[in-house]
Amino acid sequence: MGLLESVLHVAPVMPVVVIEDAKHAVSLARALVAGGIPAIEITLRTRAALDAVRAIANEVDGAIVGVGTVRKPQDLLDAQQAGARFAVSPGSTPNLIAAAKDQPLPWLPGTATASEAMTLAEHGFIFQKFFPAEAAGGAPALRSLHGPLPEIRFCATGGIGAHNARDYLATPNVACVGGSWITPSRLVAAEEWGAIEALARAATLLRA
């Protein structure tokens, strides 16, 4: 089993985390790991993101930290240098595909249609992010893709929360779901690590 496959199957949910202050990164990651969620996607939406990745990679035992919102080849290089174990994109471009094939960091490219999924599979990327999941047809769309594209496995992200995650996780081609509900900004800002650990524990029970 490759690293990316193991990352997608280590827990039912991959938290999509926006870090505004890198000082929160280590405590947040430790809470997630303690709650049974070791794979953590830190999005490149803030200036603190790469510093947060470095801190988690260096200080949190058991964490598998990755970088999200990867949009250009330089993002892949920056992520690898910061200590990220994997990278996630909301979509895919020819430049990103080429760059990902030329460097060792496992990459989860984004797709929203059968044509995009087929194109990525032709390049060897059978693990993909289905985004934006709810807007792109939700779990019914993924079930429809499973018949003609049975080899592709998805991490579904976008509009997913505790209220609908089970439906996605019951879909045969969904390895995990991604979402921000485990690490809401108000709890991070208030440093409510116990509450985040509790949300993580609840998330591990979503795949019945």
Side-chain angles (χ1 to χ4, degrees):
M1 181 182 294
L3 176 60
L4 190 57
E5 182 177 4
S6 65
V7 165
L8 297 183
H9 287 90
V10 72
V13 180
M14 182 186 297
V16 179
V17 183
V18 179
I19 292 281
E20 298 289 349
D21 191 332
K23 74 177 184 181
H24 292 143
V26 169
S27 296
L28 173 61
R30 285 176 177 157
L32 290 170
V33 172
I37 304 288
I40 306 165
E41 176 189 334
I42 306 294
T43 68
L44 291 178
R45 300 180 193 176
T46 69
R47 293 182 179 180
L50 291 174
D51 287 337
V53 170
R54 289 187 191 94
I56 294 169
N58 291 329
E59 300 181 42
V60 184
D61 292 338
I64 309 168
V65 64
V67 164
T69 322
V70 169
R71 296 175 53 192
K72 54 187 184 295
Q74 185 63 45
D75 292 338
L76 292 170
L77 295 174
D78 292 342
Q80 186 174 6
Q81 291 171 359
R85 303 280 300 282
F86 63 95
V88 184
S89 294
S92 59
T93 66
N95 284 342
L96 260 181
I97 291 171
K101 292 172 73 174
D102 287 340
Q103 55 84 45
L105 189 67
W107 180 52
L108 186 70
T111 181
T113 68
S115 294
E116 292 170 353
M118 290 168 62
T119 298
L120 288 166
E122 286 180 356
H123 286 281
F125 298 102
I126 62 168
F127 296 101
Q128 303 173 14
K129 171 178 175 172
F130 186 68
F131 176 83
E134 282 289 278
L142 284 161
R143 284 191 283 270
S144 295
L145 289 173
H146 181 57
L149 306 173
E151 76 281 9
I152 300 176
R153 291 293 179 271
F154 297 96
C155 172
T157 307
I160 299 175
H163 65 290
N164 60 355
R166 288 185 187 275
D167 192 23
Y168 283 91
L169 292 167
T171 304
N173 53 350
V174 172
C176 66
V177 299
S180 58
W181 83 91
I182 301 176
T183 58
S185 58
R186 60 181 178 81
L187 293 183
V188 175
E191 301 183 355
E192 294 283 353
W193 311 127
I196 287 174
E197 180 180 340
L199 288 171
R201 289 189 186 281
T204 65
L205 303 176
L206 286 171
R207 192 190 296 276

